């Protein structure tokens, strides 16, 4: 079973700061998901990536398959970015996901 | 609108009283799954289904049942709920039969078992 670790667990930033959230996993995978959970509880999929980098607005996700590591970056952070960010990796069979515990991000104005 | 719909959103009930949480998706997705989320433990998979009539256990299946009689519906059944099943539950779906595509989540169901 894949072990997924996220860091940091909690992160507080000032508006405008550059944010980095890290995700490491123990077993090689072919893709990784980044999810965002809003304060109200809803979960949305941000990225699924298997190599390199993906960008959507101010969010950038990178993955290094050899080092079993992914990062989620937020540029010019804003209070509306405050949420829990969760990474998830598929089991080798591709039938199940294992989740990190999440990173609670708070961006203060 | 493409969505995953869970009902109810909130439920307070008592130990032993059978309950069903419904999940329906309108995107013709192959894969559906149920997760529970608990503080300090993150999201954990309960059951999943890669196709109609095909279901399999996740990490924490004890005390739960599911069925997939139609492609769009994937209800979660608690035959005899207990307080340790108090949690936030999410249903999710994806187009692929595997979890290699974007996951679409319902809004969540907060269950309290007294």
């Amino acid at each position: 079973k894949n072990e997924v670790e996220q860091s940091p667990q909690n992160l507080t930033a000032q508006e405008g700061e550059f944010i980095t959230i890290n995700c490491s996993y123990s077993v090689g995978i072919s893709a990784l998901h980044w999810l965002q959970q809003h304060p109200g509880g809803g979960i949305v999929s941000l990225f699924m990536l298997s190599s390199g980098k993906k960008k959507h607005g101010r969010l950038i996700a990178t993955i290094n398959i050899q080092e079993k590591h992914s990062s989620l970056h937020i540029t010019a952070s804003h209070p509306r970015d405050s949420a829990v960010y969760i990474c998830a990796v598929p089991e080798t069979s591709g039938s199940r996901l294992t989740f990190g515990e999440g990173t609670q991000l708070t961006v203060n104005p | 609108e493409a969505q995953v719909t869970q009902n109810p959103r909130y439920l307070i009930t008592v130990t032993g009283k059978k309950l069903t949480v419904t999940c329906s998706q309108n995107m013709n997705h192959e894969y559906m799954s149920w997760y529970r989320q608990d503080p300090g433990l993150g999201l954990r998979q309960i059951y999943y289904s890669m196709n109609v009539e095909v279901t399999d256990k996740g990490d924490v299946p004890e005390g739960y049942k599911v069925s997939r009689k139609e492609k769009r519906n994937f209800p979660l059944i608690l035959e005899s709920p207990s307080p340790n099943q108090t949690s936030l539950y999410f249903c999710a779906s994806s187009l692929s039969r595997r979890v290699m595509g974007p996951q679409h989540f319902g809004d969540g169901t907060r269950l309290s078992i007294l």
Side-chain angles (χ1 to χ4, degrees), chain A residues 68-82:
Chain A
K68 300 186 180 66
H69 181 269
S70 177
S71 293
L72 177 67
H73 306 284
I74 305 175
T75 62
S77 59
H78 190 276
R80 65 174 174 267
D81 297 324
S82 297

Side-chain angles (χ1 to χ4, degrees), chain A residues 6 21 23 32-38 41-49 59 61 70 72 74 81-89 97-105, chain B residues 35 37 42-44 90-93 99 101-105:
Chain A
Q6 284 186 237
I21 298 170
C23 177
L32 178 145
H33 298 263
W34 280 103
L35 310 170
Q36 179 192 53
Q37 186 170 22
H38 299 293
I43 300 174
V44 296
S45 178
L46 296 175
F47 296 102
M48 191 194 74
L49 67 165
L59 272 59
S70 177
L72 177 67
I74 305 175
D81 297 324
S82 297
V84 177
Y85 293 85
I86 302 167
C87 68
V89 301
L97 283 173
T98 300
F99 298 84
E101 285 193 30
T103 295
Q104 172 71 63
L105 171 65
Chain B
Y35 303 97
Q37 186 178 38
L43 284 157
R44 294 178 293 167
F90 289 97
C91 179
S93 70
V99 291
Q103 304 292 299
H104 297 257
F105 286 82

Side-chain angles (χ1 to χ4, degrees), chain A residues 3-4 11-13 20-22 27-28 33 35 38 41 46 51-52 79 88 94 101 108-109:
Chain A
E3 300 293 327
V4 182
L11 181 56
T12 301
T20 296
I21 298 170
N22 297 299
V27 178
H33 298 263
L35 310 170
H38 299 293
L46 296 175
S51 66
E101 285 193 30
N108 294 317

